[in-house]
């Protein structure tokens, strides 16, 4: 659960290496939701300066577990993302996005036209116990041109019939272009990115300088290569959404 609704924490136990927490964490979920959740428990040492030190964690998939049963688990050390191996089978399908992309030529100048992302639909958008309000944004690089589809849609399978469009795009410059499509959850007082995809050739360099926005995955790169080979044809693409932690700031 990527929202604040899923987080709980105990009070701090001071001056002890054997803390006992006489507290309960309560979550209100349906039986169907319960079967899809993973309980993540982590232990931290609180610092006066606010820089807490990680001590250990455990991930417990709740599917098939026995309620009202006491169990002991050993805390595991935190590993680098590159060292992590999938030890838990996902209980929900991965979030993904499907859209149609095409380049619409200008009748007066076929080298310049409109880059259009249309028929956008996301799947498996779960954010807290309720269906979130979701909106979609686009970012064209290197020009840093942002686009947003007005209004929100209800998850977990929001669909947008209004396209994202960028005018004045040069067809012969698509090899140096990157498009980011992101899905956002609208909460009461803030907006939180749920996930994104980036379409480019994954070269990592622009104008002989390293850049972070040319970092497409092999699936995103393959989709972009297929598009720029025949840009005026409509291409329907489905890609897994990358988590917001993978997005460079």
């Amino acid at each position: 659960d990527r929202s604040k609704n899923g987080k709980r924490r105990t009070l701090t136990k001071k001056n002890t290496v054997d803390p006992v927490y006489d507290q309960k964490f309560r979550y209100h979920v349906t039986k169907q939701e319960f079967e899809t959740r993973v309980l993540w428990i982590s232990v931290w040492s609180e610092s006066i300066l606010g820089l807490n030190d990680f001590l250990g964690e455990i991930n417990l998939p709740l599917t098939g577990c026995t309620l009202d049963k006491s169990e002991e688990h050993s805390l595991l050390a935190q590993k680098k993302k590159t060292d992590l191996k999938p030890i838990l089978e996902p209980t929900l399908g991965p979030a993904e996005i499907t859209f149609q992309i095409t380049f619409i030529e200008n009748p007066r100048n076929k080298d310049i036209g409109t880059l259009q992302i249309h028929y956008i639909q996301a799947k498996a958008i779960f954010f807290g116990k309720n269906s979130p309000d979701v909106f979609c944004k686009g970012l064209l690089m290197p020009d840093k041109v942002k686009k947003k589809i007005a209004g929100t849609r209800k998850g977990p399978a929001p669909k947008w019939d209004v396209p994202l469009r960028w005018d004045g795009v040069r067809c012969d410059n698509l090899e140096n272009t990157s498009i980011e499509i992101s899905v956002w959850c609208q909460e009461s007082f803030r907006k939180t990115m749920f996930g994104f995809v980036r379409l480019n050739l994954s070269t990592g360099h622009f104008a002989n300088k390293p850049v972070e926005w040319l970092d497409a995955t092999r699936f995103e790169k393959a989709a972009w290569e297929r598009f720029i080979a025949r840009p005026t044809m409509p291409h329907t693409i489905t890609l897994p959404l990358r988590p917001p932690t993978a997005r460079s700031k």
Side-chain angles (χ1 to χ4, degrees):
D1 193 335
R2 298 180 184 179
S3 72
K4 287 186 176 181
N5 293 331
K7 297 180 180 179
R8 307 285 190 274
R9 66 163 291 175
T10 67
L11 298 175
T12 301
K13 297 296 181 178
K14 297 183 179 181
N15 303 319
T16 178
V17 294
D18 297 304
V20 177
Y21 305 98
D22 189 18
Q23 294 179 249
K24 295 180 179 179
F25 291 156
R26 296 183 182 274
Y27 296 93
H28 299 281
V29 295
T30 65
K31 182 179 180 181
Q32 183 178 8
E33 284 182 305
F34 183 85
E35 292 289 328
T36 65
R37 297 302 182 102
V38 175
L39 182 63
W40 172 49
I41 301 173
S42 58
V43 181
W44 300 73
S45 177
E46 189 174 66
S47 169
I48 297 177
L49 300 178
L51 301 175
N52 301 330
D53 295 319
F54 175 84
L55 299 179
E57 67 181 2
I58 185 69
N59 290 278
L60 305 174
L62 299 182
T63 179
C65 78
T66 303
L67 297 178
D68 299 323
K69 178 183 177 183
S70 297
E71 295 181 355
E72 290 188 2
H73 296 273
S74 298
L75 291 174
L76 303 176
Q78 194 176 45
K79 297 181 179 181
K80 295 180 181 179
K81 291 183 179 179
T82 54
D83 296 333
L84 290 177
K85 296 181 179 179
I87 58 174
L88 298 176
E89 291 295 328
T91 53
L92 285 175
E96 63 181 25
I97 189 168
T98 299
F99 54 89
Q100 186 184 93
I101 182 171
T102 188
F103 182 83
I104 304 172
E105 294 179 338
N106 187 325
R108 298 181 180 180
N109 186 349
K110 293 186 177 181
D111 293 331
I112 299 177
T114 298
L115 193 57
Q116 177 173 281
I117 308 290
H118 204 184
Y119 306 117
I120 306 170
Q121 181 168 12
K123 295 181 180 179
I125 309 300
F126 296 101
F127 194 85
K129 63 181 181 179
N130 299 318
S131 296
D133 292 324
V134 184
F135 64 91
C136 184
K137 293 171 64 174
L139 175 64
L140 180 70
M141 296 293 285
D143 299 327
K144 299 181 180 180
V145 181
K146 298 179 180 179
K147 298 290 183 178
K148 176 183 176 181
I149 300 178
T152 59
R153 306 291 187 273
K154 278 289 186 183
K159 183 178 181 180
W160 294 272
D161 296 323
V162 179
L164 294 167
R165 304 183 70 180
W166 291 268
D167 298 320
V169 177
R170 295 193 61 87
C171 186
D172 58 3
N173 197 39
L174 291 176
E175 292 184 356
N176 299 314
T177 300
S178 176
I179 292 183
E180 178 181 292
I181 308 170
S182 53
V183 176
W184 297 71
C185 294
Q186 177 69 64
E187 298 181 90
S188 299
F189 301 103
R190 68 171 184 169
K191 304 168 185 177
T192 304
M193 179 188 279
F194 182 88
F196 71 100
V197 296
R198 281 200 187 114
L199 300 177
N200 53 69
L201 292 183
S202 192
T203 59
H205 289 77
F206 178 76
N208 296 321
K209 296 181 180 179
V211 292
E212 296 176 335
W213 44 270
L214 286 172
D215 67 340
T217 66
R218 64 187 181 96
F219 300 107
E220 294 166 347
K221 178 183 177 182
W224 189 246
E225 288 175 335
R226 189 166 69 251
F227 162 66
I228 64 176
R230 303 180 69 183
T232 58
M233 297 292 294
H235 298 263
T236 300
I237 295 171
T238 299
L239 292 167
L241 284 168
R242 289 198 253 167
T245 53
R247 186 175 189 259
S248 301
K249 296 182 179 181

